[in-house]
Protein backbone atom coordinates (compact mmCIF):
# COMPACT_ATOMS: atom_id res chain seq x y z
CA UNK A 1 0.00 0.00 0.00
CA UNK A 2 2.94 2.27 0.63
CA UNK A 3 4.11 1.59 -2.94
CA UNK A 4 0.70 2.63 -4.31
CA UNK A 5 0.53 5.75 -2.15
CA UNK A 6 4.09 6.82 -3.03
CA UNK A 7 3.67 6.28 -6.77
CA UNK A 8 0.06 7.41 -7.25
CA UNK A 9 -1.16 3.91 -8.15
CA UNK A 10 -4.45 2.19 -7.50
CA UNK A 11 -4.49 -0.92 -5.33
CA UNK A 12 -6.37 -3.76 -6.98
CA UNK A 13 -7.50 -6.17 -4.29
CA UNK A 14 -7.02 -9.85 -5.07
CA UNK A 15 -10.13 -11.98 -5.56
CA UNK A 16 -11.92 -13.48 -2.59
CA UNK A 17 -10.12 -16.68 -1.65
CA UNK A 18 -9.53 -18.79 1.42
CA UNK A 19 -6.53 -17.35 3.26
CA UNK A 20 -5.35 -19.85 5.86
CA UNK A 21 -3.99 -18.39 9.10
CA UNK A 22 -1.35 -20.69 10.54
CA UNK A 23 -1.33 -19.43 14.12
CA UNK A 24 -4.79 -20.57 15.13
CA UNK A 25 -5.70 -22.79 12.15
CA UNK A 26 -8.51 -20.44 11.07
CA UNK A 27 -9.10 -18.75 7.74
CA UNK A 28 -10.41 -15.53 6.27
CA UNK A 29 -11.82 -14.79 2.83
CA UNK A 30 -10.24 -11.47 1.84
CA UNK A 31 -7.68 -8.82 2.66
CA UNK A 32 -10.54 -6.54 3.66
CA UNK A 33 -10.73 -8.53 6.89
CA UNK A 34 -7.23 -7.24 7.75
CA UNK A 35 -7.28 -3.66 6.49
CA UNK A 36 -9.79 -0.79 6.45
CA UNK A 37 -9.67 -0.08 2.73
CA UNK A 38 -12.92 1.81 2.76
CA UNK A 39 -12.18 4.18 5.63
CA UNK A 40 -12.15 7.86 4.73
CA UNK A 41 -8.50 8.20 5.84
CA UNK A 42 -7.33 5.34 3.64
CA UNK A 43 -9.33 6.48 0.60
CA UNK A 44 -7.75 9.95 0.85
CA UNK A 45 -4.34 8.41 0.26
CA UNK A 46 -4.83 5.34 -1.93
CA UNK A 47 -7.55 4.47 -4.47
CA UNK A 48 -8.71 0.86 -4.09
CA UNK A 49 -10.76 -1.31 -6.46
CA UNK A 50 -11.58 -5.01 -6.55
CA UNK A 51 -10.11 -7.37 -9.12
CA UNK A 52 -13.60 -7.73 -10.58
CA UNK A 53 -13.82 -3.93 -11.06
CA UNK A 54 -10.38 -3.96 -12.69
CA UNK A 55 -11.30 -6.75 -15.14
CA UNK A 56 -14.63 -5.08 -15.98
CA UNK A 57 -12.86 -1.77 -16.62
CA UNK A 58 -9.61 -2.86 -18.26
CA UNK A 59 -10.35 -6.29 -19.77
CA UNK A 60 -12.65 -4.95 -22.46
CA UNK A 61 -11.81 -3.42 -25.84
CA UNK A 62 -9.35 -0.50 -25.46
CA UNK A 63 -8.59 -1.39 -21.83
CA UNK A 64 -5.10 -1.87 -20.40
CA UNK A 65 -5.50 -5.63 -20.68
CA UNK A 66 -7.92 -6.24 -23.56
CA UNK A 67 -9.05 -9.87 -23.44
CA UNK A 68 -10.90 -11.91 -26.04
CA UNK A 69 -14.50 -12.74 -25.11
CA UNK A 70 -13.83 -16.29 -23.88
CA UNK A 71 -10.85 -15.24 -21.75
CA UNK A 72 -12.71 -12.17 -20.45
CA UNK A 73 -15.62 -14.35 -19.28
CA UNK A 74 -13.26 -16.85 -17.62
CA UNK A 75 -11.13 -14.22 -15.88
CA UNK A 76 -14.16 -12.20 -14.80
CA UNK A 77 -15.58 -15.30 -13.09
CA UNK A 78 -12.28 -15.99 -11.33
CA UNK A 79 -12.04 -12.35 -10.24
CA UNK A 80 -15.03 -12.82 -7.91
CA UNK A 81 -13.77 -15.93 -6.18
CA UNK A 82 -10.91 -18.33 -6.81
CA UNK A 83 -8.49 -20.69 -5.10
CA UNK A 84 -4.78 -20.23 -4.74
CA UNK A 85 -4.03 -23.85 -5.65
CA UNK A 86 -2.47 -24.46 -9.05
CA UNK A 87 -4.37 -27.75 -9.54
CA UNK A 88 -7.74 -26.12 -8.88
CA UNK A 89 -10.22 -25.53 -11.71
CA UNK A 90 -10.61 -22.01 -10.36
CA UNK A 91 -6.91 -21.13 -9.88
CA UNK A 92 -6.35 -17.43 -9.08
CA UNK A 93 -3.04 -17.42 -10.95
CA UNK A 94 -4.86 -17.56 -14.30
CA UNK A 95 -5.91 -13.94 -13.77
CA UNK A 96 -2.36 -12.69 -13.28
CA UNK A 97 -1.04 -14.82 -16.15
CA UNK A 98 -3.62 -13.34 -18.55
CA UNK A 99 -3.11 -9.75 -17.41
CA UNK A 100 0.68 -10.16 -17.45
CA UNK A 101 0.70 -11.14 -21.15
CA UNK A 102 -0.18 -7.57 -22.13
CA UNK A 103 2.77 -5.27 -22.68
CA UNK A 104 0.67 -2.22 -21.82
CA UNK A 105 -0.03 -3.36 -18.26
CA UNK A 106 2.28 -2.88 -15.33
CA UNK A 107 1.77 -5.38 -12.57
CA UNK A 108 3.88 -4.63 -9.53
CA UNK A 109 6.58 -7.26 -9.98
CA UNK A 110 7.02 -8.36 -6.41
CA UNK A 111 5.80 -11.05 -4.10
CA UNK A 112 6.96 -14.29 -2.58
CA UNK A 113 5.73 -17.01 -4.89
CA UNK A 114 6.75 -18.58 -8.16
CA UNK A 115 7.83 -15.96 -10.73
CA UNK A 116 7.09 -13.06 -8.37
CA UNK A 117 9.77 -13.97 -5.84
CA UNK A 118 11.39 -10.60 -6.33
CA UNK A 119 13.09 -7.80 -4.49
CA UNK A 120 12.10 -4.26 -5.50
CA UNK A 121 15.04 -1.82 -5.42
CA UNK A 122 14.61 1.96 -5.19
CA UNK A 123 17.82 3.61 -6.38
CA UNK A 124 17.92 7.26 -7.47
CA UNK A 125 20.64 6.77 -10.12
CA UNK A 126 18.86 3.81 -11.69
CA UNK A 127 15.55 5.66 -11.62
CA UNK A 128 17.03 8.66 -13.42
CA UNK A 129 19.16 6.77 -15.95
CA UNK A 130 17.04 3.66 -16.46
CA UNK A 131 20.16 1.53 -16.10
CA UNK A 132 21.91 0.08 -13.14
CA UNK A 133 24.46 -2.45 -12.10
CA UNK A 134 23.67 -5.05 -9.49
CA UNK A 135 25.90 -4.11 -6.59
CA UNK A 136 27.11 -6.51 -3.90
CA UNK A 137 24.90 -4.61 -1.43
CA UNK A 138 21.80 -5.34 -3.53
CA UNK A 139 22.74 -9.01 -3.84
CA UNK A 140 23.34 -9.29 -0.10
CA UNK A 141 20.05 -7.59 0.76
CA UNK A 142 17.91 -9.50 -1.76
CA UNK A 143 19.52 -12.90 -1.39
CA UNK A 144 18.21 -15.36 -3.98
CA UNK A 145 15.23 -13.21 -5.00
CA UNK A 146 15.10 -11.64 -8.48
CA UNK A 147 16.11 -7.98 -8.42
CA UNK A 148 13.70 -5.47 -9.97
CA UNK A 149 14.64 -1.81 -10.11
CA UNK A 150 11.99 0.88 -9.73
CA UNK A 151 12.43 2.88 -12.95
CA UNK A 152 10.67 5.68 -14.81
CA UNK A 153 8.85 3.00 -16.79
CA UNK A 154 7.31 1.55 -13.63
CA UNK A 155 6.65 5.06 -12.26
CA UNK A 156 4.65 6.27 -15.25
CA UNK A 157 0.97 5.38 -14.85
Amino acid sequence: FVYAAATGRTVVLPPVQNLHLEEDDSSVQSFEEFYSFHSDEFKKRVPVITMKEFIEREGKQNGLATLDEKTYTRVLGLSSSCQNRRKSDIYCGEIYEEIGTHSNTKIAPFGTGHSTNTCLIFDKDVFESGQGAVSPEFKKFCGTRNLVFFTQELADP
Side-chain angles (χ1 to χ4, degrees), residues 11-14 32 38 48-55 79:
V11 170
V12 179
L13 296 174
E32 293 179 88
H38 302 292
V48 178
I49 62 174
T50 65
M51 181 61 76
K52 185 173 189 261
E53 291 171 312
F54 176 80
I55 298 300
S79 70

Side-chain angles (χ1 to χ4, degrees), residues 4 39 57 71 90:
S39 72
R57 184 184 304 172
T71 304
I90 54 171

Side-chain angles (χ1 to χ4, degrees), residues 27-114:
S27 63
V28 297
Q29 296 299 308
S30 74
F31 284 100
E32 293 179 88
E33 293 183 42
F34 294 107
Y35 303 103
S36 299
F37 295 115
H38 302 292
S39 72
D40 291 336
E41 272 307 301
F42 195 90
K43 287 195 285 187
K44 278 196 285 188
R45 292 172 173 78
V46 182
V48 178
I49 62 174
T50 65
M51 181 61 76
K52 185 173 189 261
E53 291 171 312
F54 176 80
I55 298 300
E56 288 172 338
R57 184 184 304 172
E58 303 297 345
K60 293 182 179 174
Q61 192 71 16
N62 300 320
L64 286 173
T66 303
L67 304 169
D68 63 64
E69 189 174 334
K70 182 179 177 184
T71 304
Y72 174 83
T73 301
R74 171 74 177 156
V75 170
L76 185 62
L78 292 172
S79 70
S80 295
S81 179
C82 58
Q83 296 177 349
N84 203 12
R85 295 181 307 118
R86 190 170 288 281
K87 292 183 179 182
S88 171
D89 290 339
I90 54 171
Y91 174 53
C92 299
E94 283 184 59
I95 299 168
Y96 307 109
E97 290 165 6
E98 289 296 339
I99 293 170
T101 62
H102 296 274
S103 61
N104 58 340
T105 58
K106 295 177 186 155
I107 300 172
F110 44 61
T112 57
H114 202 49

Side-chain angles (χ1 to χ4, degrees), residues 109-139:
F110 44 61
T112 57
H114 202 49
S115 63
T116 59
N117 190 16
T118 57
C119 182
L120 186 62
I121 303 291
F122 292 85
D123 181 274
K124 182 180 178 188
D125 294 334
V126 173
F127 182 81
E128 291 174 352
S129 71
Q131 299 178 352
V134 177
S135 71
E137 292 85 12
F138 293 155
K139 285 183 180 179

